[in-house]
Amino acid sequence: MIEELNINEENICQSCAMPLTNDALGTNADGTLSNYYCKYCFENGNFIENLTLEEAILSIGNMAEEAGVTREEAIGFASRHLPDLMRWKK
Ligand SMILES: [Zn+2]
């Protein structure tokens, strides 16, 4: 059902662009679930890793195999979409 590279801005992590399914939500400082970030990026109100945008794009490249895409595709995808996400927007 889910087209991996089809972005719905409402339902993706605003840090890494992964789809935000109910079991992938990060946690806020008060223990509630985040509406914006996944659990791999955000825990207890803080980003788990303190990354620059460039580092985040490269780390998505490293997860490409898991997602079933090539490293080039993953990095291309991340370079197009990450700069528009809430965490990275200036
Ligand atoms: Zn994330």
Side-chain angles (χ1 to χ4, degrees):
M1 265 301 273
I2 297 176
E3 160 67 87
E4 288 272 340
L5 303 180
N6 187 9
I7 284 290
N8 175 346
E9 299 282 337
E10 308 264 307
N11 292 318
I12 60 172
C13 173
Q14 293 295 307
S15 166
C16 71
M18 79 168 254
L20 281 181
T21 53
N22 284 338
D23 60 356
L25 298 175
T27 47
N28 295 314
D30 61 4
T32 58
L33 292 172
S34 171
N35 293 321
Y36 303 111
Y37 298 112
C38 77
K39 62 182 177 185
Y40 305 106
C41 292
F42 200 68
E43 191 175 57
N44 302 324
N46 292 304
F47 290 111
I48 293 170
E49 286 188 277
N50 193 10
L51 298 172
T52 64
L53 174 59
E54 288 71 27
E55 287 166 343
I57 289 171
L58 289 178
S59 82
I60 286 172
N62 294 334
M63 298 188 299
E65 210 163 299
E66 243 170 89
V69 298
T70 67
R71 188 178 163 81
E72 288 67 35
E73 283 173 327
I75 289 178
F77 168 83
S79 326
R80 280 194 304 280
H81 293 291
L82 263 61
D84 289 330
L85 299 178
M86 209 166 76
R87 182 176 180 184
W88 310 113
K89 252 186 194 164
K90 293 282 151 61

